[in-house]
Amino acid sequence: MDTQNSDQNLADAAVGDALRAETLESQLLGITAERDQLLADKADLQDRLLRQRAEFDNYRRRADRERSEYLQYAAMELVREILPVLDDFERALKHETADQDYAKGVELIYQRLDETLKRMGMEPVETGGRQFDPNLHQAVQRVETDDAEDQSILSEFQKGYNFRGKLLRPAMVKVAVKP
């Protein structure tokens, strides 16, 4: 009987070991599946994080660009509003006056204003000896003449200006036309 009990105990132990092995294998499969799911979740979260960072960087660059464009537009509009004052100074300088100190003062103010606007990015549109360009000039008068080349600018009525590479105001000019 001892042998039989012993064999039974061994058989029971083998079944128990097999069940435990099966349970351990089942647990191992469950843990492996859970690990794989966690790794997939981690990869997904990392991907989402990278996308959020890229989206935020794009937003920041876009906001900076829009802010810069807005400031440039605001500066351009300010300079556009100051142009009539610059024109008035130019007309005042062409007018003769007996008080030379006054004339010198007006000229100094004009030069300072002109230099400040140039530092901000304003530059005059060239007209002297140039061909008429409808993108830069506004023909106020056309004169038939044989003395000048067709579509050449004869004189300037009002200066035109560019601001940081964009046309701020076209130059008003007199243009030669062949008869």
Side-chain angles (χ1 to χ4, degrees):
M1 219 121 72
D2 275 339
T3 316
Q4 208 175 9
N5 274 343
S6 181
D7 287 342
Q8 183 63 34
N9 286 341
L10 284 175
D12 288 344
V15 170
D17 286 345
L19 286 174
R20 268 182 283 186
E22 202 175 289
T23 304
L24 288 175
E25 190 174 316
S26 170
Q27 288 176 345
L28 181 62
L29 286 174
I31 290 172
T32 303
E34 186 178 348
R35 180 202 64 195
D36 292 345
Q37 181 62 43
L38 289 172
L39 287 173
D41 290 348
K42 177 185 171 191
D44 182 53
L45 288 173
Q46 285 177 330
D47 183 57
R48 288 174 48 195
L49 176 65
L50 289 175
R51 288 179 189 276
Q52 287 289 352
R53 282 183 183 167
E55 189 176 314
F56 181 72
D57 287 344
N58 290 338
Y59 165 76
R60 188 175 22 175
R61 277 189 238 112
R62 186 176 63 246
D64 288 345
R65 185 183 67 241
E66 288 172 355
R67 187 178 316 111
S68 174
E69 288 172 357
Y70 176 77
L71 291 174
Q72 184 172 346
Y73 176 77
M76 187 172 169
E77 288 304 309
L78 176 64
V79 170
R80 188 184 317 259
E81 292 294 321
I82 293 174
L83 285 181
V85 176
L86 194 65
D87 294 337
D88 290 344
F89 271 113
E90 288 173 356
R91 282 190 284 277
L93 290 172
K94 289 178 184 176
H95 184 65
E96 290 292 321
T97 181
D99 189 352
Q100 293 302 315
D101 290 335
Y102 177 77
K104 184 68 176 170
V106 170
E107 184 176 347
L108 289 173
I109 293 169
Y110 168 77
Q111 287 173 352
R112 190 167 183 192
L113 178 60
D114 188 51
E115 288 171 10
T116 301
L117 292 173
K118 284 180 182 175
R119 275 196 311 272
M120 289 179 68
M122 185 187 79
E123 49 197 36
V125 171
E126 297 295 325
T127 58
R130 303 244 177 188
Q131 287 292 99
F132 174 74
D133 180 356
N135 297 315
L136 300 174
H137 309 112
Q138 181 178 350
V140 178
Q141 185 178 11
R142 294 188 179 273
V143 177
E144 289 186 10
T145 181
D146 288 325
D147 297 339
E149 190 178 324
D150 190 39
Q151 297 298 312
S152 64
I153 296 173
L154 299 174
S155 64
E156 180 180 68
F157 294 113
Q158 185 180 46
K159 280 187 178 180
Y161 294 98
N162 287 319
F163 185 75
R164 296 182 184 166
K166 292 183 181 179
L167 184 65
L168 186 62
R169 179 176 78 182
M172 293 185 181
V173 295
K174 182 192 299 187
V175 179
V177 180
K178 289 292 182 186

